[in-house]
Amino acid sequence: MTCQHLKEAGEPTPQAPYEGGCPECVADGHHDWVHLRLCLDCGYVACCDSSPRRHMSAHYETDGHPVMRSYEPGENWKWCFVDDVLGA
């Protein structure tokens, strides 16, 4: 399947450094996120779906930004929420 969202995804400047963890979790006093993700629309940084609060999925649900990528060092895969497609 060809996903136009993945093809058109940008590479915005992250709104938070990787070393800082999930900004929403940290703000609420939580340090149990699993992995970080980066919204390729606005640069929002948040925790993944394996994390208790799933902030990146919540970001998609509220803002509708279709594509995120792994923000983990050495990983470059992307995910389209709209089409449920993994890409690189």
Side-chain angles (χ1 to χ4, degrees), residues 1 5 9-10 22 28 32-33 36 38 41 43 45-46 48-49 56-58 67 69-70 73 75 83-84 87:
M1 174 180 192
H5 301 106
C22 175
D28 290 339
D32 57 351
W33 62 87
L36 297 178
L38 174 68
D41 193 317
V45 174
C48 70
D49 281 359
M56 186 54 74
S57 285
V67 180
R69 75 164 172 85
S70 175
E75 294 184 359
D83 297 320
D84 290 325

Side-chain angles (χ1 to χ4, degrees), residues 33-51:
W33 62 87
V34 178
H35 298 288
L36 297 178
R37 306 296 182 234
L38 174 68
C39 174
L40 295 185
D41 193 317
C42 68
Y44 177 77
V45 174
C47 56
C48 70
D49 281 359
S50 295
S51 300

Side-chain angles (χ1 to χ4, degrees), residues 7-36:
K7 286 182 181 180
E8 296 173 357
E11 189 63 39
T13 301
Q15 294 179 11
Y18 174 82
E19 297 78 18
C22 175
E24 284 193 59
C25 288
V26 171
D28 290 339
H30 302 286
H31 299 281
D32 57 351
W33 62 87
V34 178
H35 298 288
L36 297 178

